[in-house]
Amino acid sequence: MTETPAPKSTTGRFFEDFELEQRINHASPRTITEGDVALYHALTGNRFTLQTSNQFARHVGYHAAPVDDLFVFNAVFGLSVADVSINAVANLGYAGCDFLAQLYVGETIRARSTVMGLRETSDGENGIVYVRTEGLDHRDVPVLRFVRWVLVPKRDPKSGKSKPATVPDLPDAVRPITVPRHRLNRDWDDASAGSPHRWDDYALGEKIDHIDGVTIEEADHMTATRLFRNAARVHFDAHAMKKTPFGRRLVYGGHVIATARALSFNGLANACIVSAINGGRHTAPVFGGDTIFAWSEVIEKIALEKRDDIGALRLRTRATKNHPCHDHPAEGPEVVLDLDYTVILPRR
């Protein structure tokens, strides 16, 4: 009797397949190309001059424009999806995201993750998986690390088997702050950067409406998700999504974050570097055709030791759908993103 060969393809991990302290080396390292960067800028509308102009970057001490920090975050996130969240119901949140180094076109990144926590939901249908993911460069030096937690369905909810609940302690903020080695006030040109406002000009508690809105077309978010190599089925499989309460594909949350960051240029144009994502939540789904707006609040001003050329702002940015932010909405069904992050600006 001929044995049936084992299947070559895989359906991905379900909640039962994760174990505490499990280590996963993710496949398909990627080399960042000029095309990747150009497409990212086109899809998000990113205008932060340090990342868009080689000439500007060289004037402030870099050898070339670094790759946008949120492209790196999304690229590392995307490398982890096939092993962590390809079957996910939802990506729930982020913490402790530390941007350890800046990357440049031509460099190669890979990713690895460790399972930090597991908790079944009360209905027994799903479980929450907590992972710490690291992005590493071609020298195997970590350039980014973050924690995320994701809602993953069970393969067999009726089995009766359960796992002990373990929820990790998560940091409130990333400390110490990772800062660039370059002195950013060397030949910093406010006119080219797009704003006269530097670190000294922002006040604790200040609220900034970024004013502009951008409609996320189906083609935009599908292309962006492919750019980030995020293979989660909730973003791609329209047939399967018809059977869910959403009824349609979801816009990848990382694309919403990148869009909100790009919108923040209007009011924070000199906030050229993202140093950390302290915490973040996707508070409501976004679909193709929704228009995204954003506003930010300065929740901490941080003077950096031994650096008089730069300072850090801890911001809380809320993104909304189909709701302009002149009234600074902090909660409600229109709020789709609540992001706590730290940026670096030049000082006077």
Side-chain angles (χ1 to χ4, degrees):
M1 182 176 178
T2 303
E3 293 185 2
T4 303
K8 303 292 191 301
S9 56
T10 174
T11 56
R13 284 181 171 87
F14 291 84
F15 183 70
E16 295 95 327
D17 300 317
F18 292 96
E19 299 293 338
L20 197 62
E21 298 184 2
Q22 179 180 7
R23 296 188 178 186
I24 305 168
N25 288 310
H26 303 298
S28 303
R30 68 181 295 175
T31 299
I32 301 172
T33 68
E34 290 278 7
D36 292 333
V37 172
L39 184 55
Y40 175 81
H41 292 324
L43 290 168
T44 62
N46 177 60
R47 292 184 286 161
F48 288 96
T49 311
L50 183 64
Q51 286 81 25
T52 60
S53 169
N54 284 329
Q55 182 183 35
F56 183 94
R58 285 193 289 266
H59 282 170
V60 297
Y62 290 77
H63 72 274
V67 176
D68 189 271
D69 304 295
L70 288 183
F71 175 89
V72 177
F73 169 76
N74 277 303
V76 172
F77 184 109
L79 291 175
S80 74
V81 166
D83 295 312
V84 175
S85 53
I86 193 168
N87 293 314
V89 178
N91 194 63
L92 300 177
Y94 317 90
C97 179
D98 194 356
F99 294 86
L100 302 167
Q102 292 178 304
L103 293 179
Y104 298 87
V105 167
E107 295 191 307
T108 299
I109 52 173
R110 68 178 184 89
R112 65 189 180 196
S113 295
T114 302
V115 179
M116 299 176 61
L118 298 165
R119 179 171 66 85
E120 294 186 19
T121 55
S122 58
D123 62 10
E125 297 288 323
N126 306 287
I128 299 174
V129 181
Y130 298 79
V131 297
R132 173 180 284 113
T133 297
E134 283 188 314
L136 302 100
D137 67 11
H138 59 284
R139 298 176 296 268
D140 279 345
V141 174
V143 296
L144 170 69
R145 63 171 60 100
F146 59 89
V147 176
R148 69 172 173 127
W149 49 105
V150 59
L151 185 66
V152 179
K154 286 186 174 182
R155 177 183 286 105
D156 184 8
K158 298 179 182 179
S159 68
K161 296 180 181 179
S162 61
K163 295 177 183 286
T166 303
V167 178
D169 291 328
L170 299 174
D172 175 64
V174 175
R175 293 289 192 275
I177 293 171
T178 301
V179 299
R181 60 186 177 86
H182 305 282
R183 295 191 65 81
L184 292 186
N185 62 0
R186 171 195 163 190
D187 295 331
W188 188 272
D189 181 359
D190 288 338
S192 293
S195 173
H197 305 302
R198 300 193 181 187
W199 181 85
D200 313 78
D201 302 314
Y202 291 88
L204 188 65
E206 183 175 359
K207 296 179 179 180
I208 305 164
D209 174 13
H210 301 304
I211 299 175
D212 310 304
V214 60
T215 301
I216 297 182
E217 306 292 353
E218 293 283 7
D220 295 340
H221 80 87
M222 293 296 295
T223 302
T225 309
R226 288 192 178 96
L227 171 65
F228 302 136
R229 297 188 183 177
N230 182 338
R233 295 185 177 97
V234 295
H235 308 309
F236 285 105
D237 191 338
H239 176 72
M241 290 303 290
K242 288 179 181 177
K243 305 172 186 177
T244 70
F246 297 116
R248 57 189 300 196
R249 292 171 298 188
L250 303 179
V251 174
Y252 163 48
H255 184 52
V256 177
I257 293 174
T259 300
R261 163 69 175 164
L263 290 172
S264 75
F265 180 88
N266 188 358
L268 287 163
N270 279 327
C272 53
I273 294 172
V274 178
S275 176
I277 297 175
N278 303 298
R281 296 182 301 124
H282 298 292
T283 52
V286 176
F287 303 100
D290 284 338
T291 299
I292 301 299
F293 299 87
W295 70 278
S296 297
E297 180 179 4
V298 179
I299 60 175
E300 189 175 0
K301 285 194 70 172
I302 306 163
L304 301 172
E305 292 185 11
K306 302 179 181 179
R307 294 295 295 264
D308 60 0
D309 63 311
I310 57 175
L313 294 180
R314 185 174 175 184
L315 304 171
R316 191 169 179 183
T317 293
R318 277 91 160 191
T320 63
K321 62 179 180 181
N322 310 319
H323 184 100
C325 291
H326 53 82
D327 56 345
H328 305 117
E331 56 186 19
E334 70 277 7
V335 177
V336 298
L337 173 69
D338 188 344
L339 190 69
D340 174 342
Y341 63 113
T342 303
V343 295
I344 302 292
L345 294 83
R347 298 190 65 169
R348 297 200 175 281

